Amino acid sequence: MKYRAHYIIPVFLSIFLMCCTCATDNNTTKEIDPTLQTSIRVINVSHGAGVLHLLQNDRSAIKQIEYAVLPMNYTNIPSGVRNLRLLNSSDKAVYGINANLLPNSNYSFFLMDTVIRMSGILLQDIPSLFPKGEIIVRLVHGGMNTGNAELYVGSSASGSPIVSGVGFRSFSSYVQAPFGSSLTLRINGTKGIIDFTVPASSFADGAAHTIILYGDENSTAEPLAYKVIQ
């Protein structure tokens, strides 16, 4: 049986270097937050990063962001242009971006690679409001020292992939798959093909999901693994 992969319009990272909105009185300069808010969560799969702390415009937003601990709940922060900065347990900045966050939206901030060369992917999450009998899924590749990843419908890789050519530090668009089916996550590893079966029980009917690949193909302590988040 053939499955059709209907591509949704991809949501890309928006990064803008802009100034904050401020108001000046006789004594000091004060930042004025937008009245509308947005929601963000941080997925930490950066090797050696340990527990992280997210600041937004130098104010605490999310504490105790542990390695590969999922799911992570959303946290509300002001919308608009925000400086998002990650601190380690010694309060040293290890990564940061400026991002224009839309109001009344959900974002996932994926942190990957090693702590000394940390990289990030900020993606807007689409709402889980889809017809019954379908799921929407995308793939984020944070697996180190390995090749491209792809997704197939079914418990084994057969037919045409619904997602293909996703390399390290990149992601796919959302695609559609039938609810009740398992998926196969295939990685073209440096030592051969690596297959993970993602069971049907990982997915909720009519909902959007992200499969995050993380770990290191060359590591026995933190080998390649995946998790599904909604």
Side-chain angles (χ1 to χ4, degrees):
M1 180 179 295
K2 294 183 179 179
Y3 297 98
R4 293 178 296 114
H6 300 287
Y7 284 78
I8 312 302
I9 297 175
V11 182
F12 294 101
L13 165 65
S14 296
I15 302 178
F16 299 93
L17 298 177
M18 298 175 62
C19 297
C20 67
T21 302
C22 301
T24 304
D25 58 22
N26 292 330
N27 300 311
T28 187
T29 299
K30 299 178 181 178
E31 181 181 357
I32 299 176
D33 284 332
T35 57
L36 297 178
Q37 292 195 317
T38 193
S39 298
I40 192 170
R41 59 185 177 183
V42 179
I43 293 86
N44 173 17
V45 291
S46 173
H47 285 239
V51 179
L52 299 176
H53 178 195
L54 176 69
L55 303 182
Q56 63 87 14
N57 286 21
D58 286 330
R59 285 174 287 173
S60 179
I62 308 175
K63 295 182 177 180
Q64 297 297 310
I65 306 169
E66 300 180 63
Y67 176 82
V69 175
L70 300 170
M72 167 70 71
N73 294 328
Y74 289 104
T75 296
N76 291 332
I77 65 172
S79 61
V81 177
R82 300 283 106 185
N83 175 257
L84 304 176
R85 190 150 51 100
L86 279 303
L87 307 181
N88 62 15
S89 57
S90 301
D91 289 332
K92 178 183 177 181
V94 292
Y95 188 72
I97 62 170
N98 292 311
N100 189 10
L101 305 177
L102 299 177
N104 303 316
S105 299
N106 292 334
Y107 290 89
S108 291
F109 195 6
F110 299 89
L111 304 173
M112 56 192 65
D113 217 322
T114 66
V115 66
I116 60 174
R117 58 171 187 267
M118 190 180 293
S119 56
I121 300 175
L122 179 64
L123 297 179
Q124 188 175 359
D125 303 328
I126 61 176
S128 298
L129 297 173
F130 299 97
K132 293 293 183 181
E134 299 176 1
I135 63 168
I136 305 296
V137 63
R138 69 185 173 193
L139 176 62
V140 175
H141 192 329
M144 295 176 57
N145 297 310
T146 194
N148 289 351
E150 50 197 13
L151 288 176
Y152 294 80
V153 175
S155 57
S156 62
S158 60
S160 298
I162 60 173
V163 167
S164 62
V166 180
F168 179 49
R169 303 191 193 99
S170 64
F171 61 97
S172 75
S173 302
Y174 281 105
V175 298
Q176 179 182 317
F179 174 67
S181 298
S182 59
L183 299 181
T184 295
L185 169 59
R186 167 162 287 188
I187 302 100
N188 296 296
T190 58
K191 304 170 186 176
I193 299 296
I194 303 168
D195 282 348
F196 292 103
T197 298
V198 187
S201 58
S202 304
F203 306 105
D205 195 1
H209 307 78
T210 298
I211 299 176
I212 171 70
L213 175 66
Y214 65 98
D216 186 340
E217 185 178 346
N218 295 333
S219 172
T220 55
E222 295 178 339
L224 290 179
Y226 78 90
K227 288 191 178 181
V228 180
I229 57 177
Q230 184 177 333

